[in-house]
């Protein structure tokens, strides 16, 4: 079974953290950053948790958990060193319709806590369904190492200009193509003046129609042999002409909103002006 990934809005919502050891403490910062109203209950805290309580003026109840604490909570984290207590908290939370994380068991409770990469508004969450938390942490370091350096500034340009671009370009497809072109250029490490790059790109891109010429992709037996360039083009494709069998093979290379058309039906359709069309041919 897979988990359903989601990013929760916790601003001003009541969250209870039960347990103030290393794990309970690790849960605090992301909750604080998300603007939750945190109550921490534990007879003892690790030093770092004490520091966070003081710094952020968190409500700390220096005592054992009791069931009435769940009233008014939106979400609870069960991170004590007692598996029995953590399970009991999860059962009560489930009965009361409150989200619950159980630190010692991925299969109890209603969500698991992923490893997090936060870079401004870019938040990457990684998890392995509770199977390999240490691998999760190692993957975090690898992924963080390949992220572009000025991600925050790049996201800020998009946040500031999205409404303008919605007004400037009339279709989702044109807007997507605009942003794809802009971000592709911006991800080149030599380009860091994003405001200038944005203006330049805006002056170059138009909505004018042009003839659509399908590109052909000869599918190798082993998909690992697909060139990097072709993988990139497949990802940009707005329409692929593909048999049912090959569609399954290339599913992970094409976008969800890419149109799929069978070869025998292609003659009857009219691709959007400017559409990037790829005909898939089996080797
Ligand atoms: C289900 C989950 C709990 C949840 O959802 O709350 C869970 C469960 C358990 N972890 C255990 C052990 C360790 N966990 C870590 C580290 C992390 N564990 C995290 C998440 C999760 N761990 C959730 C699933 C995430 C997923 O799906 O991958 C991370 C990603 C996030 C975080 O906790 O903040 C964080 C990396 C933070 C980072 O750096 O990014 C380390 C290493 C270390 O501390 O460095 C060890 C010691 C080595 C070992 O034992 O493997 C044990 C056994 C305890 C015991 O033996 O008593 C259990 C219980 C069990 O499964 O038995
Ligand atoms: N998710 C993860 O990454 C990991 C999870 N774990 C699991 O997380 C749990 C907690 O681990 P640690 O923080 O290292 O434990 P810990 O022993 O350092 O801390 C336990 C905390 O729970 C509090 N506590 C105990 N009984 C309580 C009660 N009745 N009411 C309220 N608070 C109570 C203690 O005062 C203490 O603050 C363990 O079950 C462990 O198996 C352990 C390692 C990693």
């Amino acid at each position: 079974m897979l988990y359903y990934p989601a990013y929760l809005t916790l601003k001003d919502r009541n969250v209870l953290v039960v347990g103030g050891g290393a794990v309970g403490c690790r849960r605090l910062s992301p909750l604080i950053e998300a603007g939750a109203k945190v109550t921490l209950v534990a007879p003892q805290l690790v030093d770092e948790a004490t520091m966070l309580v003081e710094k952020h003026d968190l409500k700390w109840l220096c005592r054992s958990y009791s069931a009435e604490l769940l009233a008014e909570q939106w979400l609870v984290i069960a991170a004590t060193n007692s598996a029995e207590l953590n399970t009991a908290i999860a059962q009560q939370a489930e009965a009361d319709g409150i989200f619950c994380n159980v630190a010692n068991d991925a299969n109890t409770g209603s969500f698991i806590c992923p490893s997090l990469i936060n870079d401004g508004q870019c938040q990457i969450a990684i998890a392995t369904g509770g199977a390999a938390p240490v691998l999760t942490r190692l993957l975090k370091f690898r992924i963080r190492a390949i992220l572009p350096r000025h991600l925050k500034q790049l996201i800020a340009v998009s946040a500031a200009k999205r409404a303008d671009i919605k007004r400037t370009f009339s279709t989702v497809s044109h807007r997507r193509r605009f942003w794809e072109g802009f971000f592709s250029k911006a991800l080149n490490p030599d380009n860091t003046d994003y405001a200038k790059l944005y203006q330049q790109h805006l002056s170059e891109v138009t909505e004018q129609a042009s003839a659509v010429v399908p590109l052909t992709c000869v599918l190798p037996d082993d998909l690992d042999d697909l060139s990097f360039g072709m993988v990139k083009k497949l990802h940009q494709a707005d329409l692929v002409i593909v048999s049912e069998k090959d569609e399954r093979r290339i599913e992970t290379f094409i976008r969800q909103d890419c149109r799929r058309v069978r070869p025998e039906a292609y003659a009857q359709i009219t691709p959007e002006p400017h559409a990037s069309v790829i005909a898939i041919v089996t080797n």
Side-chain angles (χ1 to χ4, degrees), residues 23 26-27 101-106 111-116 126-134 136-137 140-141:
V23 176
R26 238 181 10 231
R27 301 282 174 270
N101 166 250
V102 174
N104 60 295
D105 186 5
F111 70 97
I112 58 171
C113 287
S115 189
L116 291 174
I126 313 151
T128 56
V134 174
T136 302
R137 175 163 55 82
K140 170 178 81 174
F141 289 116

Side-chain angles (χ1 to χ4, degrees), residues 137-238:
R137 175 163 55 82
L138 296 178
L139 289 176
K140 170 178 81 174
F141 289 116
R142 287 209 179 187
I143 294 171
R144 197 153 60 188
I146 58 164
L147 289 182
R149 275 178 54 216
H150 304 285
L151 206 47
K152 217 183 217 162
Q153 291 89 323
L154 192 52
I155 294 170
V157 174
S158 175
K161 300 295 185 187
R162 275 192 82 198
D164 289 353
I165 292 303
K166 277 187 185 163
R167 278 190 297 269
T168 308
F169 295 99
S170 58
T171 66
V172 176
S173 158
H174 284 102
R175 295 195 275 272
R176 181 172 42 69
R177 210 158 305 128
F178 171 84
W179 285 119
E180 241 164 38
F182 169 71
F183 287 126
S184 302
K185 289 177 191 168
L187 286 174
N188 176 339
D190 295 338
N191 291 333
T192 50
D193 187 345
Y194 299 137
K196 188 169 150 205
L197 189 68
Y198 172 86
Q199 288 306 338
Q200 222 170 38
H201 188 60
L202 190 59
S203 66
E204 284 165 17
V205 178
T206 65
E207 279 199 5
Q208 266 162 34
S210 63
V212 172
V213 182
L215 186 87
T216 303
C217 167
V218 181
L219 219 55
D221 292 335
D222 183 349
L223 290 184
D224 285 347
D225 293 338
L226 262 182
S227 72
F228 180 70
M230 186 49 83
V231 170
K232 198 170 151 195
K233 286 200 173 74
L234 280 170
H235 189 68
Q236 287 167 347
D238 300 303

Side-chain angles (χ1 to χ4, degrees), residues 17-27 40-46 61 63-66 78-83 85-86 89 101-105 113 133:
V17 177
V18 191
V23 176
C25 178
R26 238 181 10 231
R27 301 282 174 270
L40 174 62
V41 57
Q44 271 162 358
L45 301 186
V46 289
L61 307 175
R63 63 173 174 90
S64 286
Y65 169 84
S66 51
T80 75
N81 47 355
S82 160
L85 176 58
N86 293 344
I89 296 170
N101 166 250
V102 174
N104 60 295
D105 186 5
C113 287

